[in-house]
Amino acid sequence: MSRKPELKGRAARLARLFPSGPRQAARTPFVLLVVLLLGGGLIGLLVLNSALSEGSFKKDDLQKDTKSLTDEQQALQRDIDSYSAPDALQRRARELGMVPGGDPAFLNPDGTVKGVPSAAAPRAADEEPAVRPPEAIALPRTTGTPSPAAPAPNTPGGTPAPSAAPTEAIPETPGR
């Protein structure tokens, strides 16, 4: 009862281009395509997750380094602040033998003096300067010749006393 009508002419030629009868599409290529897409997606997610966790570890390491460097910088800043405090500067200056200055005088651009200068307060006699001149420091020599900075002590007769330390002669090297 449900017969297809017979086609003629142009319709018959077009009908021949289409497959006749009920056909099903091949399922194997479609299934392989779906499996490959899902597998590729899972592998991509795994690689992405690994890269993110590696970046997280690096970030944690950098944060620890930043914290330790910040702590070190703050400690150094505290040291600088303690050394540059007025009382610390005054103490260090006194150790170096410096004394507070008097009233300053200023020169104006036209050459006139503004203010009355005064001398610095003298150092107390009982204070020994922390920095001594080089000629006051006697260094021992191993050659046996007396140092010009350290004269030999005189004996009661007025002649220099012999050195108690044994002296060694420095051998001369040829060609010097």
Side-chain angles (χ1 to χ4, degrees), residues 33-50:
L33 177 68
V34 169
V35 168
L36 286 175
L37 286 175
L38 287 175
L42 287 174
I43 290 172
L45 285 174
L46 179 66
V47 169
L48 181 66
N49 191 16
S50 298

Side-chain angles (χ1 to χ4, degrees), residues 70-140:
T70 301
D71 291 344
E72 182 180 351
Q73 188 252 349
Q74 288 174 353
L76 291 173
Q77 188 63 44
R78 278 193 305 271
D79 289 346
I80 289 171
D81 291 342
S82 68
Y83 289 135
S84 63
D87 58 337
L89 289 175
Q90 182 182 15
R91 180 179 37 80
R92 182 70 180 132
R94 287 196 190 277
E95 288 173 2
L96 292 174
M98 301 172 89
V99 294
D103 293 329
F106 300 98
L107 290 176
N108 291 326
D110 61 354
T112 60
V113 178
K114 181 178 182 181
V116 179
S118 65
R123 189 178 65 232
D126 61 341
E127 284 186 49
E128 182 180 326
V131 179
R132 293 180 284 178
E135 58 270 359
I137 302 172
L139 297 176

